Structures are given as structure tokens and as C-alpha cells.
Amino acid sequence: MTIPVPVPPPRPMARGTLARRLVLRTTALVAIATIALSFFTALASFQILQAQLDGRLQSALNASPRGPDSGTKPGDPEGSGLIRLVQRAPGSGLFDSTQAPDALTADAAATLVVLDPADTPVTMGVEGLGLYRVLVKVDQRGRINVAALPFSAVITPLTRQLLIAGGLTLGAIALSFVGARQVVERSLRPLNRLAAAATEVASLPLSSGDAHLPVRVTAADADPSNEVGRVGAAFNRMLDHVEAALAARHRSETRVRQFVADASHELRNPLAAIRGYTELTLRDADTLPPDASHALERIDAESDRMSALVEDLLLLARLDSGPALDLQPTDVTELVLNAVDGARAAGPQHSWVLDLPDEIVMARADQHRLYQVVANLLANARVHTPPGTRVVTRLRREGDQAVISVSDNGPGVPPEIRDNVFERFARADASRVRQAGGSSTGLGLAIVAAVVAAHGGTVTLDSAPGHTTFTVRVPSP
Ligand SMILES: Nc1ncnc2c1ncn2[C@@H]1O[C@H](COP(=O)(O)OP(=O)(O)OP(=O)(O)O)[C@@H](O)[C@H]1O
Ligand SMILES: [Mg+2]
């Protein structure tokens, strides 16, 4: 099982976080709403102001044109920019200006009088004076009357209103950003705590041992009356179930391990007795019929093999149930040297090569168990390869590790067991086992893996026909 490295929770407003998305979307909604509101308010104001201006134009036209001393009308005071032109006589090309700002030139006035009479005013530019709202009508005497008022009466208040609305809109957007941030961060806090708890659980080693799950979300975060609380409550319940299941698995594993350990232990005494009696009887082999002595020799060999198997099982059961090693500073160089000497004596037909570094390599190790590891690898290189095979045992110190490798140029580990060669009872098919002398149990590499793991090290296999290397790495202080 791969245990993921705990991922630190992202900052609340980090890119891609839910909080950031919620805050940005809320702010965008508020921005759209306030901008739309300002726009439609401005539109309404424009229409109201323009209607007011048009009303003033109508009343300016309805009022009889001001004579030289008729006084100023209250609706159109002097300086309001009113332009008032009246045709001298129906059909005449001459117009009198009854009221006009000084800046109105004759050419500019001429552009106003060519407009057709209409019920509604039009907006047009007047040379030198800017935009004007102009109403042209025919009076009861058939004369064309022109009244024009500056459009700034609409534009100026509207600009002021837009400036104020713009300021308020910006304020509302800023306020909604800050407010949404506060609210979203507060609302998501329980979810973040839940995520932190889940991350913590994900980093626990649950694959083996008595997996205890000390993590739970608090009662406040597991309140089923809200959405996040329901997830929290379900999460806690799920952890309860997982913990119960892990405890059940651990109990059953312990029972099996205990059974194997007990059974192996109980088998030792009767096996010792069988071997003892067999050896005793074989001392007088001459007096026995040949069949009986052959059978006794087989019993002797098989009981030896069974004893080795029982010892292996007992060792594996011990390693499974916890650290069963006596770790001491160990001279690995000497250990490897002795193991290869032993292999050379056991397999004189193989070629044994030793490649040791100049300096002594030390490791914190259980000397007997680490010896067993190297001896098992060397035994495999002897038993599972033909005579004449060259076996190179190499020792190096790499960083803070002692690295022992055993390579041979034999036929290689059969492909069908290559992936699970370190599992218990992993062996090639029966015919090959018989070729190897029939003494194979398939526990040798399982013991190698268990002992190396108990040292806090690793063992790997690299195998192809003609080239097989087992590499063991253990911490070297
Ligand atoms: N150096 C090697 N060359 C080829 N095959 C190998 C080599 N080492 C191991 N194997 C294969 O891996 C299998 C498992 O090895 P392992 O040491 O676990 O069991 P074993 O040697 O069969 O029995 P045991 O070691 O318990 O007596 C062997 O049966 C053999 O097929
Ligand atoms: Mg073996």
C-alpha cells in the first residue's frame, strides 16, 4: 500500500480554492447588480431631466416673446442660456431674436431656423455654444417660433449623479469582497478542519499492525443539523468502523501468528526425538536389512529438513510479532567474509568471488540474523544454479547504508515467481525444485526480506538469464 505524503491545506484564498471561488463569484454578482442599478438609475434620471427641459421649452414657447421691457420670465431667468427666435411674418425669411446669449452668432442662429416645426424637441449642436435642446413650432399667427435651451441642464446633474453612483458602486464592491471573504472563511472553517483530519488519517500507516485511529472531528464539527456537520458525523462513524475492522484484522493476524509460533515450537520436541532415535538406530545399521537402513536414512534426512522448516517458521512468526533482533554495532566485512567461506566449503564446484572495500563496513545489526540473510542468498546462488556458476559477493558503504550484493551468472529466477519471490513458500515448479536436491521449502527469501525489514533496510532483486543480483541495504551509522 502506498501512503500518500500529507498535503498541507491550501491557504483559504489560494488559487483554485473553494473559498476564493465563492468570494470572487459573490463579489462579481454584487458588482453586476450595483452597476446595473447605477445604469438604470442614470437612464431614468436622464429621461426625467430631459422631460423637465422639454417642459421648460414648451412653456418658453407658449409664453409670448419678451419685448424689450417685458421682464424676465421666472422659468427662464437671464443667464439660463435660452434662445428665443420668432419669424417676423409668416413666410418671411427674417427672424427676430427675442432672447439669446451674447455668444450666439447669426450663422449659428440660422442653423436653428431651418429646422422643421415638430411636437417634440430635438437635440443638436449650436456653433460656439455646445449641445442644445431645440423646439420649433408655428404659433396662432402662423409665424415660426424657435426655443432652445442648453443640454447641459441634463448633462451636468447627470454627470454629478454618475460620479456619486460610481463611488458608491466601488464602495459596495469592496465592502462585499471583504464581507464575503469573512463569511466564506468562517463558513468553510469546519470543512477545512475536516480536510485536515482526513489528511491526518491518510498519513497513518494502516496496512499492518494494530492500526489505532486517534483522529476524530470535534462534536461541534459533527453536528448533523448542518451540511458540513453531517459529513463530519459520517466521517467519524466511518473511522469507528475502520478502526473496528483493523482491530479485528489485527486480532486474527495475532491468533494465526501465535498458532504458527506455538505449533512450530511444539513440533521441535517430537522432531528432536525422531532424529535422536533415527541416529541411534542407524549406529547399528549393519545389523538391519538394507531396505530398513535405507528407509531410516530417508527418515533422518527428512526430519533434518523438517527441523529446518520448523526453525524458519518459528523465526518468521517471531519477526512478525515485533522486533526480535539484538541490534549491535556489527562488522559486516567480517560477516560477509565468513559467509562466503561457508558457501565455498558447501559448494566447491562453484566459483566464489569476494569484492570487499578497503575500509571496514559497520552496521547496527543482529549479527546472527544478518549472517543468515547472506548465507540464504549464497545458498540460493549455489542450489539454484548449475556447477561452475560464478558467484560475486560485493560489499560497499553507500552514504549511510551498508550495501551487500550477491550476483550469479546462473539461469536466473524463473519469471513466474520473480515478482513475489520474497513471499512465503514462493518457489519455482516442482521439477526444478527436485533438480535442486528436493530440500527447498521456499522460506529462505521470505526470511531474508523479514530480517532486512526488521533492520530498517531493503532487499531488491534484479534477475535475467545469466545475470541475477540480490541487493541488501541496511543502515550503517
Ligand atoms: N540465485 C538464484 N538463481 C535462480 N533462482 C533463484 C535464485 N535464488 C532464488 N531463486 C528462486 O527463488 C525461489 C525462492 O527462493 P527461497 O530461498 O525463498 O526458497 P528456496 O531456496 O526454494 O527454499 P529454502 O531457501 O527455504 O530452502 C527458489 O525456489 C528459486 O526458484
Ligand atoms: Mg533458498
mmCIF file of all heavy atoms in Angstrom, residues 333-373:
data_model
loop_
_atom_site.group_PDB
_atom_site.id
_atom_site.type_symbol
_atom_site.label_atom_id
_atom_site.label_comp_id
_atom_site.label_asym_id
_atom_site.label_seq_id
_atom_site.Cartn_x
_atom_site.Cartn_y
_atom_site.Cartn_z
ATOM 1 N N THR A 333 31.973 -6.532 7.161
ATOM 2 C CA THR A 333 33.037 -7.083 6.311
ATOM 3 C C THR A 333 33.379 -8.514 6.753
ATOM 4 O O THR A 333 33.410 -9.441 5.941
ATOM 5 C CB THR A 333 34.296 -6.192 6.400
ATOM 6 O OG1 THR A 333 33.892 -4.831 6.227
ATOM 7 C CG2 THR A 333 35.305 -6.565 5.348
ATOM 8 N N GLU A 334 33.584 -8.664 8.051
ATOM 9 C CA GLU A 334 33.949 -9.991 8.576
ATOM 10 C C GLU A 334 32.813 -10.988 8.360
ATOM 11 O O GLU A 334 33.020 -12.129 7.969
ATOM 12 C CB GLU A 334 34.269 -9.847 10.071
ATOM 13 C CG GLU A 334 34.882 -11.096 10.653
ATOM 14 C CD GLU A 334 34.942 -11.040 12.180
ATOM 15 O OE1 GLU A 334 34.853 -9.928 12.749
ATOM 16 O OE2 GLU A 334 35.059 -12.105 12.795
ATOM 17 N N LEU A 335 31.588 -10.484 8.593
ATOM 18 C CA LEU A 335 30.400 -11.335 8.459
ATOM 19 C C LEU A 335 30.288 -11.879 7.028
ATOM 20 O O LEU A 335 30.078 -13.080 6.805
ATOM 21 C CB LEU A 335 29.199 -10.471 8.839
ATOM 22 C CG LEU A 335 27.818 -11.049 8.901
ATOM 23 C CD1 LEU A 335 27.037 -10.349 10.005
ATOM 24 C CD2 LEU A 335 27.089 -10.907 7.604
ATOM 25 N N VAL A 336 30.494 -10.995 6.038
ATOM 26 C CA VAL A 336 30.386 -11.405 4.634
ATOM 27 C C VAL A 336 31.515 -12.390 4.292
ATOM 28 O O VAL A 336 31.294 -13.400 3.622
ATOM 29 C CB VAL A 336 30.437 -10.156 3.718
ATOM 30 C CG1 VAL A 336 30.616 -10.550 2.265
ATOM 31 C CG2 VAL A 336 29.162 -9.339 3.874
ATOM 32 N N LEU A 337 32.690 -12.089 4.808
ATOM 33 C CA LEU A 337 33.849 -12.963 4.580
ATOM 34 C C LEU A 337 33.564 -14.387 5.082
ATOM 35 O O LEU A 337 33.759 -15.373 4.357
ATOM 36 C CB LEU A 337 35.045 -12.367 5.339
ATOM 37 C CG LEU A 337 36.431 -12.738 4.898
ATOM 38 C CD1 LEU A 337 36.747 -12.029 3.608
ATOM 39 C CD2 LEU A 337 37.445 -12.320 5.982
ATOM 40 N N ASN A 338 33.037 -14.482 6.299
ATOM 41 C CA ASN A 338 32.739 -15.805 6.875
ATOM 42 C C ASN A 338 31.663 -16.522 6.073
ATOM 43 O O ASN A 338 31.751 -17.725 5.829
ATOM 44 C CB ASN A 338 32.269 -15.662 8.329
ATOM 45 C CG ASN A 338 33.422 -15.236 9.224
ATOM 46 O OD1 ASN A 338 34.593 -15.405 8.855
ATOM 47 N ND2 ASN A 338 33.096 -14.653 10.384
ATOM 48 N N ALA A 339 30.627 -15.764 5.672
ATOM 49 C CA ALA A 339 29.518 -16.399 4.952
ATOM 50 C C ALA A 339 30.015 -16.968 3.623
ATOM 51 O O ALA A 339 29.644 -18.082 3.228
ATOM 52 C CB ALA A 339 28.403 -15.379 4.711
ATOM 53 N N VAL A 340 30.867 -16.206 2.922
ATOM 54 C CA VAL A 340 31.369 -16.699 1.629
ATOM 55 C C VAL A 340 32.284 -17.906 1.846
ATOM 56 O O VAL A 340 32.254 -18.864 1.060
ATOM 57 C CB VAL A 340 32.072 -15.567 0.854
ATOM 58 C CG1 VAL A 340 32.739 -16.103 -0.409
ATOM 59 C CG2 VAL A 340 31.072 -14.482 0.487
ATOM 60 N N ASP A 341 33.064 -17.886 2.938
ATOM 61 C CA ASP A 341 33.891 -19.063 3.268
ATOM 62 C C ASP A 341 33.014 -20.292 3.422
ATOM 63 O O ASP A 341 33.324 -21.367 2.895
ATOM 64 C CB ASP A 341 34.649 -18.820 4.580
ATOM 65 C CG ASP A 341 35.985 -18.142 4.318
ATOM 66 O OD1 ASP A 341 36.334 -18.022 3.121
ATOM 67 O OD2 ASP A 341 36.640 -17.724 5.296
ATOM 68 N N GLY A 342 31.904 -20.116 4.155
ATOM 69 C CA GLY A 342 30.974 -21.238 4.375
ATOM 70 C C GLY A 342 30.420 -21.735 3.052
ATOM 71 O O GLY A 342 30.331 -22.955 2.805
ATOM 72 N N ALA A 343 30.044 -20.791 2.161
ATOM 73 C CA ALA A 343 29.471 -21.176 0.870
ATOM 74 C C ALA A 343 30.499 -21.917 0.023
ATOM 75 O O ALA A 343 30.185 -22.896 -0.652
ATOM 76 C CB ALA A 343 28.982 -19.928 0.135
ATOM 77 N N ARG A 344 31.753 -21.450 0.088
ATOM 78 C CA ARG A 344 32.821 -22.086 -0.697
ATOM 79 C C ARG A 344 33.002 -23.539 -0.264
ATOM 80 O O ARG A 344 33.165 -24.431 -1.103
ATOM 81 C CB ARG A 344 34.107 -21.286 -0.501
ATOM 82 C CG ARG A 344 35.192 -21.639 -1.492
ATOM 83 C CD ARG A 344 36.379 -20.711 -1.366
ATOM 84 N NE ARG A 344 36.163 -19.436 -2.014
ATOM 85 C CZ ARG A 344 36.412 -18.263 -1.442
ATOM 86 N NH1 ARG A 344 36.849 -18.206 -0.199
ATOM 87 N NH2 ARG A 344 36.206 -17.151 -2.112
ATOM 88 N N ALA A 345 32.905 -23.734 1.067
ATOM 89 C CA ALA A 345 33.064 -25.104 1.574
ATOM 90 C C ALA A 345 31.900 -25.976 1.139
ATOM 91 O O ALA A 345 32.074 -27.142 0.774
ATOM 92 C CB ALA A 345 33.174 -25.071 3.092
ATOM 93 N N ALA A 346 30.675 -25.377 1.128
ATOM 94 C CA ALA A 346 29.490 -26.172 0.792
ATOM 95 C C ALA A 346 29.387 -26.413 -0.711
ATOM 96 O O ALA A 346 28.813 -27.419 -1.136
ATOM 97 C CB ALA A 346 28.240 -25.452 1.297
ATOM 98 N N GLY A 347 29.914 -25.496 -1.524
ATOM 99 C CA GLY A 347 29.762 -25.646 -2.979
ATOM 100 C C GLY A 347 31.088 -25.489 -3.689
ATOM 101 O O GLY A 347 31.313 -24.496 -4.390
ATOM 102 N N PRO A 348 31.970 -26.471 -3.554
ATOM 103 C CA PRO A 348 33.317 -26.319 -4.134
ATOM 104 C C PRO A 348 33.290 -26.259 -5.659
ATOM 105 O O PRO A 348 34.270 -25.832 -6.270
ATOM 106 C CB PRO A 348 34.068 -27.549 -3.630
ATOM 107 C CG PRO A 348 33.027 -28.514 -3.198
ATOM 108 C CD PRO A 348 31.792 -27.759 -2.865
ATOM 109 N N GLN A 349 32.169 -26.686 -6.280
ATOM 110 C CA GLN A 349 32.165 -26.680 -7.750
ATOM 111 C C GLN A 349 31.770 -25.322 -8.328
ATOM 112 O O GLN A 349 31.806 -25.123 -9.533
ATOM 113 C CB GLN A 349 31.199 -27.759 -8.259
ATOM 114 C CG GLN A 349 31.798 -29.136 -8.035
ATOM 115 C CD GLN A 349 30.787 -30.216 -8.313
ATOM 116 O OE1 GLN A 349 29.605 -30.058 -8.005
ATOM 117 N NE2 GLN A 349 31.239 -31.309 -8.883
ATOM 118 N N HIS A 350 31.338 -24.402 -7.475
ATOM 119 C CA HIS A 350 31.034 -23.044 -7.936
ATOM 120 C C HIS A 350 32.280 -22.188 -7.791
ATOM 121 O O HIS A 350 33.191 -22.537 -7.043
ATOM 122 C CB HIS A 350 29.896 -22.432 -7.101
ATOM 123 C CG HIS A 350 28.545 -22.913 -7.494
ATOM 124 N ND1 HIS A 350 28.142 -24.215 -7.362
ATOM 125 C CD2 HIS A 350 27.475 -22.251 -8.030
ATOM 126 C CE1 HIS A 350 26.903 -24.350 -7.782
ATOM 127 N NE2 HIS A 350 26.462 -23.157 -8.207
ATOM 128 N N SER A 351 32.278 -21.064 -8.504
ATOM 129 C CA SER A 351 33.407 -20.156 -8.370
ATOM 130 C C SER A 351 32.967 -18.976 -7.521
ATOM 131 O O SER A 351 32.013 -18.276 -7.875
ATOM 132 C CB SER A 351 33.842 -19.739 -9.780
ATOM 133 O OG SER A 351 34.292 -18.429 -9.781
ATOM 134 N N TRP A 352 33.601 -18.786 -6.360
ATOM 135 C CA TRP A 352 33.161 -17.766 -5.390
ATOM 136 C C TRP A 352 34.110 -16.573 -5.427
ATOM 137 O O TRP A 352 35.297 -16.728 -5.174
ATOM 138 C CB TRP A 352 33.108 -18.368 -3.983
ATOM 139 C CG TRP A 352 32.186 -19.546 -3.912
ATOM 140 C CD1 TRP A 352 32.522 -20.853 -4.042
ATOM 141 C CD2 TRP A 352 30.772 -19.510 -3.740
ATOM 142 N NE1 TRP A 352 31.405 -21.663 -3.968
ATOM 143 C CE2 TRP A 352 30.294 -20.844 -3.773
ATOM 144 C CE3 TRP A 352 29.824 -18.487 -3.569
ATOM 145 C CZ2 TRP A 352 28.968 -21.187 -3.650
ATOM 146 C CZ3 TRP A 352 28.499 -18.825 -3.427
ATOM 147 C CH2 TRP A 352 28.077 -20.157 -3.471
ATOM 148 N N VAL A 353 33.593 -15.400 -5.750
ATOM 149 C CA VAL A 353 34.427 -14.194 -5.836
ATOM 150 C C VAL A 353 33.976 -13.215 -4.753
ATOM 151 O O VAL A 353 32.771 -13.021 -4.552
ATOM 152 C CB VAL A 353 34.277 -13.521 -7.219
ATOM 153 C CG1 VAL A 353 35.155 -12.270 -7.307
ATOM 154 C CG2 VAL A 353 34.604 -14.501 -8.323
ATOM 155 N N LEU A 354 34.960 -12.636 -4.061
ATOM 156 C CA LEU A 354 34.631 -11.709 -2.975
ATOM 157 C C LEU A 354 35.146 -10.330 -3.339
ATOM 158 O O LEU A 354 36.291 -10.175 -3.752
ATOM 159 C CB LEU A 354 35.309 -12.219 -1.699
ATOM 160 C CG LEU A 354 34.869 -11.625 -0.381
ATOM 161 C CD1 LEU A 354 33.372 -11.742 -0.199
ATOM 162 C CD2 LEU A 354 35.581 -12.362 0.755
ATOM 163 N N ASP A 355 34.290 -9.331 -3.254
ATOM 164 C CA ASP A 355 34.694 -7.953 -3.611
ATOM 165 C C ASP A 355 34.410 -7.060 -2.403
ATOM 166 O O ASP A 355 33.283 -6.630 -2.190
ATOM 167 C CB ASP A 355 33.882 -7.529 -4.847
ATOM 168 C CG ASP A 355 34.163 -6.089 -5.236
ATOM 169 O OD1 ASP A 355 35.014 -5.450 -4.593
ATOM 170 O OD2 ASP A 355 33.513 -5.612 -6.195
ATOM 171 N N LEU A 356 35.463 -6.835 -1.586
ATOM 172 C CA LEU A 356 35.283 -6.068 -0.344
ATOM 173 C C LEU A 356 35.942 -4.702 -0.477
ATOM 174 O O LEU A 356 36.928 -4.556 -1.200
ATOM 175 C CB LEU A 356 35.921 -6.829 0.831
ATOM 176 C CG LEU A 356 35.275 -8.154 1.209
ATOM 177 C CD1 LEU A 356 36.075 -8.822 2.322
ATOM 178 C CD2 LEU A 356 33.830 -7.961 1.647
ATOM 179 N N PRO A 357 35.411 -3.690 0.224
ATOM 180 C CA PRO A 357 36.050 -2.371 0.168
ATOM 181 C C PRO A 357 37.298 -2.343 1.056
ATOM 182 O O PRO A 357 37.501 -3.252 1.858
ATOM 183 C CB PRO A 357 34.971 -1.451 0.737
ATOM 184 C CG PRO A 357 34.175 -2.322 1.642
ATOM 185 C CD PRO A 357 34.237 -3.716 1.107
ATOM 186 N N ASP A 358 38.100 -1.299 0.887
ATOM 187 C CA ASP A 358 39.335 -1.222 1.673
ATOM 188 C C ASP A 358 39.045 -1.031 3.156
ATOM 189 O O ASP A 358 39.673 -1.630 4.008
ATOM 190 C CB ASP A 358 40.195 -0.041 1.173
ATOM 191 C CG ASP A 358 40.684 -0.322 -0.242
ATOM 192 O OD1 ASP A 358 40.753 -1.527 -0.590
ATOM 193 O OD2 ASP A 358 40.949 0.639 -0.983
ATOM 194 N N GLU A 359 38.079 -0.165 3.424
ATOM 195 C CA GLU A 359 37.804 0.088 4.844
ATOM 196 C C GLU A 359 36.721 -0.889 5.352
ATOM 197 O O GLU A 359 35.982 -1.468 4.553
ATOM 198 C CB GLU A 359 37.379 1.552 5.069
ATOM 199 C CG GLU A 359 35.950 1.887 4.761
ATOM 200 C CD GLU A 359 35.686 2.182 3.288
ATOM 201 O OE1 GLU A 359 36.477 1.727 2.426
ATOM 202 O OE2 GLU A 359 34.675 2.821 3.009
ATOM 203 N N ILE A 360 36.714 -1.045 6.671
ATOM 204 C CA ILE A 360 35.737 -1.947 7.294
ATOM 205 C C ILE A 360 34.364 -1.282 7.279
ATOM 206 O O ILE A 360 34.251 -0.083 7.523
ATOM 207 C CB ILE A 360 36.185 -2.256 8.739
ATOM 208 C CG1 ILE A 360 37.361 -3.239 8.690
ATOM 209 C CG2 ILE A 360 35.037 -2.823 9.565
ATOM 210 C CD1 ILE A 360 37.953 -3.527 10.034
ATOM 211 N N VAL A 361 33.350 -2.075 6.924
ATOM 212 C CA VAL A 361 31.984 -1.529 6.914
ATOM 213 C C VAL A 361 31.249 -2.032 8.153
ATOM 214 O O VAL A 361 31.198 -3.234 8.409
ATOM 215 C CB VAL A 361 31.216 -1.946 5.639
ATOM 216 C CG1 VAL A 361 29.792 -1.425 5.682
ATOM 217 C CG2 VAL A 361 31.941 -1.442 4.414
ATOM 218 N N MET A 362 30.725 -1.078 8.915
ATOM 219 C CA MET A 362 29.988 -1.442 10.139
ATOM 220 C C MET A 362 28.491 -1.193 9.917
ATOM 221 O O MET A 362 28.110 -0.384 9.077
ATOM 222 C CB MET A 362 30.453 -0.578 11.324
ATOM 223 C CG MET A 362 31.913 -0.715 11.692
ATOM 224 S SD MET A 362 32.301 -2.331 12.394
ATOM 225 C CE MET A 362 31.458 -2.251 13.962
ATOM 226 N N ALA A 363 27.662 -1.893 10.676
ATOM 227 C CA ALA A 363 26.216 -1.626 10.624
ATOM 228 C C ALA A 363 25.635 -1.953 11.983
ATOM 229 O O ALA A 363 26.210 -2.747 12.742
ATOM 230 C CB ALA A 363 25.551 -2.470 9.553
ATOM 231 N N ARG A 364 24.505 -1.324 12.285
ATOM 232 C CA ARG A 364 23.797 -1.719 13.514
ATOM 233 C C ARG A 364 22.928 -2.901 13.134
ATOM 234 O O ARG A 364 21.926 -2.734 12.416
ATOM 235 C CB ARG A 364 22.913 -0.557 13.994
ATOM 236 C CG ARG A 364 23.279 -0.055 15.369
ATOM 237 C CD ARG A 364 22.385 1.085 15.761
ATOM 238 N NE ARG A 364 21.170 0.588 16.404
ATOM 239 C CZ ARG A 364 21.140 0.055 17.627
ATOM 240 N NH1 ARG A 364 22.233 -0.059 18.332
ATOM 241 N NH2 ARG A 364 19.991 -0.352 18.146
ATOM 242 N N ALA A 365 23.343 -4.070 13.555
ATOM 243 C CA ALA A 365 22.657 -5.267 13.052
ATOM 244 C C ALA A 365 22.669 -6.375 14.095
ATOM 245 O O ALA A 365 23.446 -6.357 15.047
ATOM 246 C CB ALA A 365 23.348 -5.747 11.783
ATOM 247 N N ASP A 366 21.769 -7.340 13.891
ATOM 248 C CA ASP A 366 21.800 -8.584 14.663
ATOM 249 C C ASP A 366 22.721 -9.533 13.888
ATOM 250 O O ASP A 366 22.374 -9.997 12.795
ATOM 251 C CB ASP A 366 20.380 -9.156 14.773
ATOM 252 C CG ASP A 366 20.342 -10.394 15.633
ATOM 253 O OD1 ASP A 366 21.269 -11.241 15.498
ATOM 254 O OD2 ASP A 366 19.401 -10.522 16.430
ATOM 255 N N GLN A 367 23.889 -9.783 14.455
ATOM 256 C CA GLN A 367 24.940 -10.479 13.724
ATOM 257 C C GLN A 367 24.475 -11.826 13.151
ATOM 258 O O GLN A 367 24.700 -12.114 11.977
ATOM 259 C CB GLN A 367 26.116 -10.696 14.677
ATOM 260 C CG GLN A 367 27.393 -11.066 13.966
ATOM 261 C CD GLN A 367 28.510 -11.301 14.962
ATOM 262 O OE1 GLN A 367 28.442 -10.847 16.108
ATOM 263 N NE2 GLN A 367 29.532 -12.011 14.543
ATOM 264 N N HIS A 368 23.775 -12.619 14.004
ATOM 265 C CA HIS A 368 23.378 -13.963 13.554
ATOM 266 C C HIS A 368 22.352 -13.890 12.452
ATOM 267 O O HIS A 368 22.389 -14.641 11.481
ATOM 268 C CB HIS A 368 22.831 -14.767 14.732
ATOM 269 C CG HIS A 368 23.885 -15.012 15.761
ATOM 270 N ND1 HIS A 368 24.981 -15.793 15.499
ATOM 271 C CD2 HIS A 368 24.039 -14.547 17.026
ATOM 272 C CE1 HIS A 368 25.770 -15.808 16.560
ATOM 273 N NE2 HIS A 368 25.214 -15.048 17.516
ATOM 274 N N ARG A 369 21.400 -12.952 12.612
ATOM 275 C CA ARG A 369 20.324 -12.846 11.610
ATOM 276 C C ARG A 369 20.872 -12.314 10.288
ATOM 277 O O ARG A 369 20.492 -12.792 9.230
ATOM 278 C CB ARG A 369 19.210 -11.921 12.115
ATOM 279 C CG ARG A 369 18.499 -12.437 13.342
ATOM 280 C CD ARG A 369 17.683 -13.680 13.021
ATOM 281 N NE ARG A 369 17.296 -14.346 14.249
ATOM 282 C CZ ARG A 369 17.522 -15.628 14.517
ATOM 283 N NH1 ARG A 369 18.141 -16.403 13.635
ATOM 284 N NH2 ARG A 369 17.133 -16.162 15.647
ATOM 285 N N LEU A 370 21.776 -11.312 10.347
ATOM 286 C CA LEU A 370 22.319 -10.751 9.107
ATOM 287 C C LEU A 370 23.196 -11.806 8.410
ATOM 288 O O LEU A 370 23.200 -11.910 7.186
ATOM 289 C CB LEU A 370 23.121 -9.477 9.406
ATOM 290 C CG LEU A 370 23.472 -8.639 8.173
ATOM 291 C CD1 LEU A 370 22.203 -8.196 7.451
ATOM 292 C CD2 LEU A 370 24.280 -7.396 8.558
ATOM 293 N N TYR A 371 23.876 -12.612 9.229
ATOM 294 C CA TYR A 371 24.662 -13.710 8.653
ATOM 295 C C TYR A 371 23.729 -14.662 7.906
ATOM 296 O O TYR A 371 24.010 -15.106 6.802
ATOM 297 C CB TYR A 371 25.425 -14.449 9.763
ATOM 298 C CG TYR A 371 26.284 -15.586 9.247
ATOM 299 C CD1 TYR A 371 27.596 -15.353 8.839
ATOM 300 C CD2 TYR A 371 25.775 -16.872 9.134
ATOM 301 C CE1 TYR A 371 28.383 -16.380 8.338
ATOM 302 C CE2 TYR A 371 26.546 -17.915 8.625
ATOM 303 C CZ TYR A 371 27.854 -17.658 8.236
ATOM 304 O OH TYR A 371 28.623 -18.672 7.729
ATOM 305 N N GLN A 372 22.582 -14.918 8.546
ATOM 306 C CA GLN A 372 21.600 -15.825 7.949
ATOM 307 C C GLN A 372 21.109 -15.268 6.600
ATOM 308 O O GLN A 372 20.901 -16.021 5.642
ATOM 309 C CB GLN A 372 20.418 -15.989 8.911
ATOM 310 C CG GLN A 372 19.526 -17.157 8.575
ATOM 311 C CD GLN A 372 18.451 -17.356 9.636
ATOM 312 O OE1 GLN A 372 18.383 -16.611 10.621
ATOM 313 N NE2 GLN A 372 17.625 -18.358 9.438
ATOM 314 N N VAL A 373 20.933 -13.948 6.536
ATOM 315 C CA VAL A 373 20.494 -13.302 5.291
ATOM 316 C C VAL A 373 21.497 -13.595 4.176
ATOM 317 O O VAL A 373 21.150 -14.080 3.098
ATOM 318 C CB VAL A 373 20.347 -11.770 5.503
ATOM 319 C CG1 VAL A 373 20.280 -11.025 4.179
ATOM 320 C CG2 VAL A 373 19.104 -11.467 6.332
#
